[in-house]
Amino acid sequence: MTDTHCPYCALQCGMRLSPNPAGGVPEVAGHDEFPVNRGALCGKGQTSAALLAPGVRLTAPLVRDADGLREASWEEALGRVAGAMRVTAGAQGPDAVGVFGGGGLTNEKAYLLGKFARVALHTRSIDYNGRFCMSSAAAASRAAFGLDRGLPFPLADVARTGCVILVGANPAETMPPAVRYLRELRENGGTLIVVDPRRTRTAELADLHLQPLPGTDLALALGLLHLALAEGHVDEEFIAARTTGWANARAAAMAHWPERVEELTGVSVPQLRETVDLFTRTPHAMVLTARGPEQQSKGTATVGAWIDLCLATGRAGRPLSGYGCLTGQGNGQGGREHGQKADQLPGYRSLEDPEARAHIATLWGVDPGALPHSGSSAYELLDSLGRPGGVRTLLVMGSNPVVSAPDAARVTRRLTALDHLAVCDVVLSETARLADVVLPVTQWAEETGTLTNLEGRVLLRRAAVTPPPGVRSDLAVLHELARRLGHATGFPDAPEEVFAELRRATAGAPADYSGISYGRIAAEDGVFWPCPSPGHPGTPRLFLDRFAHPDGRARFTAPSHRPAAEEPDDAYPLYLTTGRTVTHYQSGAQTRRVPELAAAAPGPYVEIHPDLAAQLDSQEGDLLTVTSRRGTVTAPARLTAAIRPDTVFMPFHWPGGGRANLLTNPALDPVSRMPEFKVCAVRVEKAVLPRVCAPAAPVAVGA
């Protein structure tokens, strides 16, 4: 039996894999003693071993010839990739070679990928799909607190606080084992307030559900701060002792009086007042956000406004209180800390900080001046592919942008315009199908490595099975490519050796892992960073004594409401918002290959209100076309009164003609460079096609 962790979301639930007495894939069980999930697993976790079955995953490299992809030797495949990198860099400069990573890569992989880009390739052209997930929350947290860690407290604290405002998050479907903390919150006498345009499974658990127009979360937060101020709920002592910038934040809030906010958001003034009363009547309270407010072209400002509400009411930097982000991807936290982001070096060091550059350059054995400077963000990098002055050769590791990127048809065209595309993946994803070389790599249960969950708890995912012949680890791929590019040393393929170097790289950094070891993680069920020495206990709770800015104070951000980049009009009169279902994960490249999950949710759908369906003369299961300024998709209708009549919802897990991201808007947040996935303008029409049966409603398989 092997103790390890789930391959999916940022809870990183503890699980145990045991040999199957009947042979085949191992048996999966929850790890009862692991403190995050306490034995609970969702349907995705319970069926995760199906991905280990023969025939599901890639087992040999593929290279493209005139007739398409064919199997090849590792020698040929790696030779083609390294050769393309050399030719492109020689002809068009190092920045014409790009790297695109993923928030599911282990800390070791993320670290070595960043080092590979900057040392072996000398390129600025590196970013990762985490830019599409938590980047706005990270930017807002750094601005306000001086440090970003998704949750600055353990998840267990959620059950012990007095009130939680959950903004744009649906953990009942995205991370079901976490819902126990919301239920325990209410059992303990606390209050749950959910902010979401849809009455989701999570909203059904709430004491109060606010259903704003998509894209108006910023105005909503400012309106709540206005009422907190007007009704005497501001903690002036906390503001004076531990913050700066209150005067500007106060002025911004006063410009968002309740009636104006009701008009902007659709949330009534009585509901606004009730929210403020529930949030401030208890000595402890939290605001937790997820992709709803973050995946907007004003996501950083929106999260900043919710943080301002916490600071003004003294609900930050105190026990059982504060702001937190429910990180999405499996290593979304660690993945953004260790160097695969365009502007960062390991440990959350800034690529533009001379001291940080000197520290990392010394460790890597290079001149600080030889380290490239900051590059373009994820969407900007993808949009440059194949263009003059852009990336011409690209290595993708742990990402499927053909399905997951906004304005996906445009991104697909850019990928096909490359001179060379190499993809490391477990399965033949939609992006891998476009590649010139596909490299089959090990997956979660076949390799050892660390991940950092949404709490900032560094965990050890252990290998439980032997990978099939012909499969290599991502670390081995980077090791071999670096060797072919002239770097015989400096790129180890042993995970613990890479982690030892990562520890040295992060010493003294904001995300300091230097006191964490594989042994400690195993003995302590994970270690919270920062942990600056082997004798340090780790830091489960941040900011209780001081915030991470040099003066120890938090900063108010004082944003003002502005509309979404694209609002409905006569041609496109409805809002589209997107998200996940309980059954699938991210682009679905893995979960769509699990029979139980595919059967429970076999394809895309368009969720609409019955009033809108009546206007369209549409019934359950009728095919609808949804059109934005970027594309058109077709999928069956699913009627529900749980959504606003002016809003439609689509999950984004499927490729093809129902691909939701054909519609989404790549308008970028000016700070985080997050695309505006969560709101755009569309029109919906009844498709001139035969009626079909609607796909089965998402089922919480084993949840």
Side-chain angles (χ1 to χ4, degrees), residues 355-378:
E355 290 186 9
R357 292 172 67 87
H359 176 86
I360 296 299
T362 299
L363 179 66
W364 289 351
V366 300
D367 186 277
L371 289 176
H373 286 272
S374 299
S376 299
S377 70

Side-chain angles (χ1 to χ4, degrees), residues 205-552:
L205 303 174
D207 298 280
L208 178 63
H209 175 209
L210 308 182
Q211 208 163 358
L213 278 169
T216 62
D217 308 276
L218 173 54
L220 178 62
L222 289 165
L224 296 176
L225 180 53
H226 177 107
L227 283 170
L229 180 63
E231 296 179 2
H233 298 301
V234 166
D235 189 332
E236 298 285 358
E237 182 178 347
F238 177 87
I239 290 170
R242 300 198 59 189
T243 73
T244 63
W246 169 233
N248 289 336
R250 185 182 187 280
M254 293 311 293
H256 295 79
W257 56 93
E259 292 76 15
R260 181 191 179 202
V261 170
E262 180 181 69
E263 183 178 354
L264 288 170
T265 67
V267 177
S268 70
V269 171
Q271 283 188 312
L272 296 173
R273 295 187 186 279
E274 184 179 4
T275 301
V276 171
D277 178 61
L278 292 171
F279 187 66
T280 58
R281 69 166 58 164
T282 172
H284 311 295
M286 298 174 179
V287 171
L288 305 178
T289 69
R291 308 301 81 74
E294 298 163 17
Q295 287 181 326
Q296 298 183 28
S297 61
K298 54 180 183 293
T300 303
T302 300
V303 174
W306 288 102
I307 292 174
D308 281 0
L309 176 65
C310 292
L311 293 174
T313 56
R315 270 99 178 124
R318 288 174 169 169
L320 305 180
S321 294
Y323 164 77
C325 161
L326 296 179
T327 301
Q329 293 195 75
N331 198 29
Q333 181 65 56
R336 67 186 188 258
E337 295 169 1
H338 297 306
Q340 62 175 330
K341 194 163 173 277
D343 57 352
Q344 283 183 349
L345 290 169
Y348 259 145
R349 286 187 160 97
S350 169
L351 191 53
E352 302 307 321
D353 178 355
E355 290 186 9
R357 292 172 67 87
H359 176 86
I360 296 299
T362 299
L363 179 66
W364 289 351
V366 300
D367 186 277
L371 289 176
H373 286 272
S374 299
S376 299
S377 70
Y379 181 78
E380 293 164 304
L381 187 156
L382 293 172
D383 197 40
S384 81
L385 302 180
R387 299 184 188 277
V391 170
R392 307 292 305 192
T393 288
L394 181 69
L395 173 65
V396 175
M397 187 172 282
S399 188
N400 188 18
V402 165
V403 178
S404 63
D407 196 0
R410 181 187 183 106
V411 169
T412 302
R413 290 194 298 272
R414 300 274 39 93
L415 285 163
T416 58
L418 285 165
D419 296 336
H420 187 90
L421 172 63
V423 174
C424 297
D425 212 329
V426 174
V427 298
L428 193 63
S429 69
E430 287 70 29
T431 302
R433 291 180 185 277
L434 302 179
D436 297 284
V437 176
V438 182
L439 302 174
V441 292
T442 50
Q443 57 176 308
W444 64 288
E446 300 165 349
E447 59 185 15
T448 294
T450 62
L451 300 99
T452 307
N453 80 345
L454 77 172
E455 309 165 295
R457 188 194 303 254
V458 185
L459 305 169
L460 183 63
R461 187 190 284 169
R462 298 170 178 84
V465 298
T466 302
V471 172
R472 299 186 184 183
S473 71
D474 294 283
L475 296 179
V477 169
L478 294 173
H479 171 84
E480 286 297 325
L481 289 175
R483 186 178 65 81
R484 283 167 168 79
L485 294 171
H487 295 268
T489 61
F491 293 89
D493 59 4
E496 194 163 6
E497 186 177 348
V498 177
F499 190 74
E501 184 177 314
L502 180 154
R503 293 173 62 190
R504 297 194 297 274
T506 65
D512 192 331
Y513 282 41
S514 59
I516 304 175
S517 65
Y518 278 24
R520 274 197 71 179
I521 297 170
E524 300 174 26
D525 277 332
V527 181
F528 290 87
W529 70 259
C531 184
S533 68
H536 191 280
T539 313
R541 295 170 182 85
L542 297 171
F543 313 138
L544 296 182
D545 299 316
R546 65 190 313 275
F547 295 99
H549 288 295
D551 62 2

Side-chain angles (χ1 to χ4, degrees), residues 518-659:
Y518 278 24
R520 274 197 71 179
I521 297 170
E524 300 174 26
D525 277 332
V527 181
F528 290 87
W529 70 259
C531 184
S533 68
H536 191 280
T539 313
R541 295 170 182 85
L542 297 171
F543 313 138
L544 296 182
D545 299 316
R546 65 190 313 275
F547 295 99
H549 288 295
D551 62 2
R553 292 173 173 264
R555 275 52 168 159
F556 283 96
T557 54
S560 292
H561 171 73
R562 61 180 186 271
E566 184 178 86
E567 294 282 349
D569 56 22
D570 291 342
Y572 301 93
L574 300 168
Y575 292 95
L576 169 72
T577 191
T578 65
R580 285 168 48 190
T581 71
V582 69
T583 318
H584 288 295
Y585 179 71
Q586 304 300 73
S587 74
Q590 296 177 57
T591 52
R592 286 185 272 113
R593 289 170 166 81
V594 177
E596 296 94 325
L597 302 179
Y605 56 89
V606 184
E607 187 177 280
I608 63 172
H609 192 278
D611 291 352
L612 177 57
Q615 294 174 33
L616 299 171
D617 190 26
S618 177
Q619 303 176 49
E620 182 84 6
D622 284 348
L623 285 175
L624 302 177
T625 60
V626 185
T627 303
S628 75
R629 290 178 172 85
R630 289 153 295 281
T632 296
V633 304
T634 301
R638 179 174 294 170
L639 276 59
T640 174
I643 195 168
R644 295 177 56 100
D646 52 13
T647 301
V648 298
F649 167 82
M650 289 192 71
F652 56 76
H653 308 296
W654 291 274
R659 191 173 12 155

